[in-house]
């Protein structure tokens, strides 16, 4: 396993950190940018993935498998969340006949 | 080895950017799939084999297919169309950029990668060690997540169920009781029927 | 034991709408009689030689820091004397009120207040430290206000009640400050402790003089001395039993009681005693002079009360504490008698109080006339009635210490006799000048009158001086309680005493004859105050004191209040308060624009929030 580790160690951890941050920021920008709800949910997925990547990198660099277990759980929750989110989207399409997120404007007193 | 890293990093960044800016939703989905595959590549680089497999199967295989289904079934493939106002988009881009910069600055200031504790173990990431960790330390969350899935499934079904007119509550017209005999006064039942 | 009147007060107040006059009155009187019986028992069980002072402690009341004040009663000769007076005369007056207030709509409230007053007065006299006495002090002030303004639908009466309360309050400030000084000096407010420790201070100690002066200020307010006496004549707006109980027998004597209680302290402050003497004498003369020209029965009696109180204070100022207390006792008898008699006359005439419209009543209201006559003789100081003994004791002490004061007090006695007999003659002799139908009052009114008359006659026996062969019972009795009495010494020779008594008696008899000649034979009435000239006019207008006070105090105060209102209230406070409200509303409107309902806006807000937090963390660290 030695070459694997030495191979991993070549790339310093900070690179993974910056990559993750960049992906996260792109996801945030996407959420604020788009009006289509489907694409909104997809940008959420980008954010999830950036976090997963970071966790996995740390886990590999610290030889701690609990990081990867946590990534597993995050994927789990993300799956459930996508399910429910798409169901809501279907309802929305059925009720207001549009997937524009600005149509959801009743959330005030 | 680092060239692989930069290669995959580049692909993921570009495809993520395309997801955000694509005009057609289907294009976004395709770009997202490419992004996911590049992230899977990252996982393999990190020797996180189990994660890479799960990622490809669950995320790319199941979730993205689900997205495509929904887009196709609901005819959401409108090209162009919805766009936010210019001011909002500028504000959004600014926020995103600011966020990135802030995070970087925070990390630059504070980050010191702690030295390794104990010997490095390259076998982290193999299915065996992930499995051992999962079923020893995280058994309870694992079981509870099944309940989570159950609730998600039930919720999705209830939310998406199309209500047939026969399922909606009917208004009371009183015609159902025409011809029926009135209820007898049962002394043992004076509590009230509601 | 003071609980009995309190119970009576509470029950009467609670059931006031449903109780009739007789029931509530009877119940209240029973309560007071019960207290009287208990007082009698205590009196008889009290052995002055062996255990002069008995302290009954109920509970530790205040225990803060270095200040420890128990809730305790002190049973000694002085408090027993006052208790007997309060409950005894009080029960007679309650009985009287059953008849007098029979037709009033708010009878039960009246009796509740009377009982409450008695309760407060009992607290006052039975307290073992200054603070409990002060509770009673304030309580009687409050009840006095309630009772004076009993017929509250009349605005004038309300003013009178308020005036009484305010002047009392001014005195209360003096008492509180005095208590603070005493506590500062002695570390305790208990009477026994203070009296014990006071011996270690020499005379003229600054703080003791200050404290005694302040206590005297309180006594001035409560017992109507110059300058705080103008409330008492106006207090005649209350029903007559109220005047009898509060303003003749009990409340106004609270000031005297306080000073006698602290006699040890006053003995150490000769400066204060001098001041008391001067003010007492001045009050005695001033009030007597005003009483000469009054035409309302109750007002004459009111000024006479003020004058007699002046006598008592003069006695205290001379160091003759037991003589002062003796006069308190006899004054309670005959002044209550006189007030109740006046009430009987008013009741007989259906509410008429102006003596110019009375006359010739001695044939109609016989019992009232006889008792009133007895009272008048007593107050004038004719032997062998009680007033003679008490007043002469004071005069004798005055002659011994200060001849000028003696002369003034003697002159005051002459004036007293004159105006009292003027009252008697104008009311009862001659022909009837009014328009009502006079009739004798019922038994329930006349019986107390008779009892009080009897007491006025024999009350002198309490303290018969040596030259008559008596043993000065009251003085020795009281000396066990108030040690200041021990320094009260009458060093005159017997001959001098006889001469003094003879002089005063002769002068009084001459005055009576003169008054008889003037008011019965010639039947002249003093004309309208507007027709009098010069000094007489001034005196008839009560020396214009009320007007003086109005100009000195009420006008500037009113001016300040008005200005505070127009500037402070309207220009500052109101804009401030409404401004706060307006500001909140406007801020709310602005902030409510954040709630657009737009989902993407909310997401944007979230991101912005996270950004801000990160930035803060960045810059703080």
């Amino acid at each position: 396993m030695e070459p694997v580790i030495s191979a991993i160690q070549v790339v310093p951890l900070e690179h993974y950190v910056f990559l993750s941050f960049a992906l996260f920021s792109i996801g945030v920008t996407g959420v604020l940018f788009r009006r289509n709800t489907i694409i909104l949910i997809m940008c959420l997925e980008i954010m999830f993935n950036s976090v997963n990547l970071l966790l996995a990198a740390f886990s590999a660099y610290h030889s701690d498998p609990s990081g990867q277990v946590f990534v597993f759980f995050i994927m789990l929750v993300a799956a459930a969340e996508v399910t429910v989110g798409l169901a809501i989207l279907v309802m929305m399409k059925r009720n207001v006949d549009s997937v524009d997120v600005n149509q959801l404007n009743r959330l005030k007193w | 080895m680092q060239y692989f890293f930069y290669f995959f990093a580049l692909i993921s960044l570009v495809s993520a950017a395309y997801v955000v800016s694509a005009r057609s939703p289907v294009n976004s989905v395709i770009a997202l799939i490419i992004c996911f595959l590049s992230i899977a590549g990252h996982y393999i680089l990190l020797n996180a084999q189990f994660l890479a497999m799960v990622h490809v199967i669950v995320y790319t295989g199941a979730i993205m297919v689900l997205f495509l289904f929904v887009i196709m079934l609901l005819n959401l493939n409108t090209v162009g169309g919805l766009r936010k106002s210019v001011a909002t988009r500028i504000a959004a881009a600014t926020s995103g950029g600011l966020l990135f910069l802030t995070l970087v600055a925070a990390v630059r200031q504070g980050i010191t990668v702690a030295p390794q504790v104990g010997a490095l173990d390259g076998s982290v990431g193999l299915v065996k060690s992930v499995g051992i960790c999962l079923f020893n330390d995280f058994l309870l969350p694992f079981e509870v997540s099944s309940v989570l899935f159950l609730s998600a499934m039930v919720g999705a079904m209830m939310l998406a169920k199309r209500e047939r007119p026969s399922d909606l509550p009917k208004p009371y017209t009183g015609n159902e009781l025409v011809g029926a005999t009135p209820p007898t006064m049962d002394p043992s039942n004076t509590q009230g029927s509601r | 034991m003071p609980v009995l009147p309190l119970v009576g007060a509470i029950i009467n107040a609670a059931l006031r709408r449903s109780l009739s006059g007789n029931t509530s009155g009877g119940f209240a009187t029973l309560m007071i009689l019960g207290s009287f019986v208990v007082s009698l028992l205590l009196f008889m069980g009290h052995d002055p030689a062996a255990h002069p002072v008995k302290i009954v402690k109920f509970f530790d009341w205040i225990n803060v820091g270095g200040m420890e004040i128990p809730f305790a009663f002190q049973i000694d000769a002085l408090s027993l004397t006052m208790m007997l007076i309060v409950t005894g005369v009080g029960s007679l007056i309650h009985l009287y009120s059953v008849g007098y207030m029979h037709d009033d709509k708010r009878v039960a409230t009246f009796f509740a207040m009377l009982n409450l007053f008695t309760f407060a007065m009992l607290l006052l006299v039975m307290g073992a430290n200054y603070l409990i006495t002060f509770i009673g002090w304030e309580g009687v002030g409050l009840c006095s206000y309630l009772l004076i303004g009993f017929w509250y639908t009349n605005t004038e009466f309300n003013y009178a009640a308020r005036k009484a309360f305010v002047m009392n309050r001014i005195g209360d400030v003096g008492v509180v400050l005095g208590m603070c000084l005493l506590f500062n000096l002695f570390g305790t407010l208990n009477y026994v402790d203070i009296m014990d420790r006071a011996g270690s201070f020499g005379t003229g100690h600054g703080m003791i003089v200050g404290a005694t002066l302040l206590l005297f200020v309180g006594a001035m307010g409560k017992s109507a001395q110059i300058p705080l006496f103008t409330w008492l004549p106006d207090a005649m707006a209350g029903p007559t039993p109220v005047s009898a109980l509060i303003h003749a027998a009990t409340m106004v004597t609270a000031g005297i009681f306080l000073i006698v209680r602290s006699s040890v302290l006053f003995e150490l402050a000769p400066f204060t005693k001098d001041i008391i003497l001067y003010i007492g004498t001045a009050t005695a003369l001033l009030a007597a002079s005003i009483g000469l020209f009054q035409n309302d029965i109750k007002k004459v009696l009111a000024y006479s009360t003020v004058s007699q109180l002046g006598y008592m204070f003069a006695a205290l100022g001379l160091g003759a504490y037991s003589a002062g207390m003796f006069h308190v006792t006899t004054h309670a008898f005959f002044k209550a008698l006189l007030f109740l008699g006046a009430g009987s006359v008013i009741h007989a005439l259906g509410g008429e109080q102006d003596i110019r419209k009375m006359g010739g009543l001695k044939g109609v209201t016989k019992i009232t006339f006889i008792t009133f006559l007895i009272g008048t003789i007593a107050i004038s100081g004719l032997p062998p009635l009680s007033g003679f003994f008490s007043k002469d004791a004071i005069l004798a002490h005055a002659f011994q210490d200060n001849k000028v004061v003696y002369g003034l007090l003697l002159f005051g006695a002459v004036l007293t006799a004159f105006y009292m007999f003027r009252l008697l003659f104008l009311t009862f002799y001659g022909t009837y000048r009014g328009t009502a139908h006079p009739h004798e009052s019922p038994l329930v009114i006349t019986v107390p009158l008779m009892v009080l008359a009897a007491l006025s006659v024999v009350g002198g026996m309490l303290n018969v001086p040596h030259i008559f062969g008596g043993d000065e019972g009251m003085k020795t009795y009281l000396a066990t309680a108030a040690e200041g009495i021990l320094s009260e010494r009458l060093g005159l020779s017997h001959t001098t005493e006889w001469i003094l008594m003879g002089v005063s008696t002769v002068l009084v008899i001459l005055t009576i004859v003169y008054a008889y000649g003037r008011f019965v034979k010639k039947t002249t009435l003093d004309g309208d105050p507007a027709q009098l000239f010069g000094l007489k006019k001034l005196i008839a207008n009560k020396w214009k004191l009320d007007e003086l006070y109005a100009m000195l105090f009420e006008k500037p105060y009113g001016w300040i209040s008005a200005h505070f209102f127009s500037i402070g209230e309207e220009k500052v406070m109101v804009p401030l308060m409404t401004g706060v409200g307006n500001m909140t509303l406007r801020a709310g409107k602005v902030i409510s624009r954040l709630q657009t309902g737009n989902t993407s806006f909310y997401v944007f807000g979230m991101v912005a929030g996270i950004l801000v937090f990160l930035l803060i963390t960045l810059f703080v660290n």
Side-chain angles (χ1 to χ4, degrees), chain C residues 92-383:
Chain C
L92 286 172
I93 295 183
H94 272 76
L95 184 62
Y96 178 92
S97 310
V98 174
Y100 191 78
M101 302 291 293
H102 186 256
D103 297 323
D104 199 295
K105 281 192 297 258
R106 292 169 57 216
V107 177
T109 322
F110 182 75
F111 279 107
M113 290 198 236
L114 270 189
N115 271 9
L116 189 66
F117 170 84
T118 317
F119 167 67
M121 192 70 200
L122 284 172
L123 266 189
L124 202 158
V125 300
M126 286 181 20
N129 55 53
Y130 279 98
L131 200 57
I132 300 188
T133 303
F134 189 62
I135 299 179
W137 188 274
E138 300 264 322
V140 295
L142 170 73
C143 292
S144 157
Y145 166 78
L146 287 174
L147 284 165
I148 294 176
F150 182 66
W151 291 314
Y152 56 81
T153 47
N154 187 330
T155 330
E156 293 288 325
F157 295 171
N158 285 340
Y159 284 152
R162 197 177 66 188
K163 189 171 177 181
F165 192 68
V166 169
M167 284 196 171
N168 252 285
R169 218 64 190 109
I170 300 177
D172 290 349
V173 170
V175 175
V176 170
L177 287 176
M179 281 202 297
C180 292
L181 273 184
L182 283 177
F183 186 74
N184 196 13
L185 196 55
F186 291 105
T188 170
L189 285 178
N190 295 327
Y191 290 129
V192 277
D193 296 329
I194 292 184
M195 302 309 149
D196 281 338
R197 290 183 212 177
S200 59
F201 291 87
T203 33
H205 189 261
M207 279 243 243
I208 293 194
V209 173
T212 48
L213 269 178
L214 286 167
L215 287 178
F216 177 57
V217 167
M220 267 203 284
K222 191 69 92 180
S223 303
Q225 298 298 295
I226 295 175
L228 295 170
F229 73 94
T230 49
W231 63 270
L232 205 141
D234 286 344
M236 295 301 118
T240 315
V242 168
S243 308
L245 182 65
I246 298 184
H247 308 124
T250 43
M251 181 173 109
V252 292
T253 56
I256 317 249
F257 169 76
L258 188 70
I259 295 186
V260 175
R261 254 278 187 252
S262 330
S263 56
V264 174
L265 294 175
F266 280 85
E267 281 299 303
L268 295 173
F271 175 67
T272 316
K273 282 208 312 190
D274 285 339
I275 297 212
I276 298 182
L277 177 62
Y278 298 145
I279 291 190
T281 321
T283 313
L285 277 181
L286 184 74
S289 66
I290 302 181
L292 285 177
F293 290 99
Q294 293 298 312
N295 286 321
D296 183 329
I297 288 191
K298 286 173 68 171
K299 286 243 168 47
V300 176
L301 292 176
Y303 283 107
S304 138
T305 307
V306 176
S307 177
Q308 295 302 307
L309 287 171
Y311 271 94
M312 294 180 221
F313 275 102
L316 295 181
L318 293 165
Y321 299 105
S322 75
M325 281 305 294
F326 186 34
H327 201 56
V328 164
T329 321
T330 57
H331 178 260
F333 295 149
F334 53 69
K335 193 43 72 60
L337 169 65
L338 285 170
F339 265 111
L340 294 185
S344 171
V345 167
I346 296 174
H347 180 91
L349 291 178
E352 180 59 63
Q353 288 184 250
D354 193 337
I355 55 178
R356 292 173 290 186
K357 298 208 176 70
M358 300 182 195
L361 291 175
K362 75 171 159 130
V364 181
T365 58
K366 293 203 179 63
I367 302 183
T368 314
F369 167 64
I370 296 180
T371 50
F372 204 86
L373 179 64
I374 294 180
T376 317
I377 298 180
I379 198 175
S380 309
L382 279 180

Side-chain angles (χ1 to χ4, degrees), chain C residues 351-425:
Chain C
E352 180 59 63
Q353 288 184 250
D354 193 337
I355 55 178
R356 292 173 290 186
K357 298 208 176 70
M358 300 182 195
L361 291 175
K362 75 171 159 130
V364 181
T365 58
K366 293 203 179 63
I367 302 183
T368 314
F369 167 64
I370 296 180
T371 50
F372 204 86
L373 179 64
I374 294 180
T376 317
I377 298 180
I379 198 175
S380 309
L382 279 180
L385 267 60
S386 53
F388 163 69
F389 291 106
S390 59
K391 202 176 271 194
D392 256 20
I394 300 179
L395 286 175
H397 276 279
F399 183 76
Q400 171 186 287
D401 286 342
N402 194 331
K403 302 285 192 299
V404 175
V405 166
Y406 168 73
L408 290 173
L409 287 179
L410 190 60
F411 181 55
V414 167
L415 287 179
T416 308
F418 184 68
Y419 67 69
M420 284 310 299
F421 271 94
R422 166 181 178 260
L423 184 67
L424 181 79
F425 292 144

Side-chain angles (χ1 to χ4, degrees), chain A residues 28 31-32 34 101-109, chain C residues 592 595-605 607:
Chain A
V28 166
V31 166
L32 297 176
R34 303 296 299 239
V101 80
N102 279 348
Q103 294 288 336
L104 302 171
N105 59 359
R106 304 257 199 97
L107 208 60
K108 60 179 177 181
W109 68 278
Chain C
S592 68
Q595 294 227 317
T596 55
N598 202 341
T599 316
S600 50
F601 180 73
Y602 288 162
V603 174
F604 185 62
V607 172

Side-chain angles (χ1 to χ4, degrees), chain A residues 60-76:
Chain A
Y61 273 75
H62 288 263
S63 305
D64 192 0
S66 58
Q68 303 196 359
V69 167
F70 210 69
V71 170
F72 177 69
F73 278 120
I74 293 182
M75 280 191 208
L76 231 140

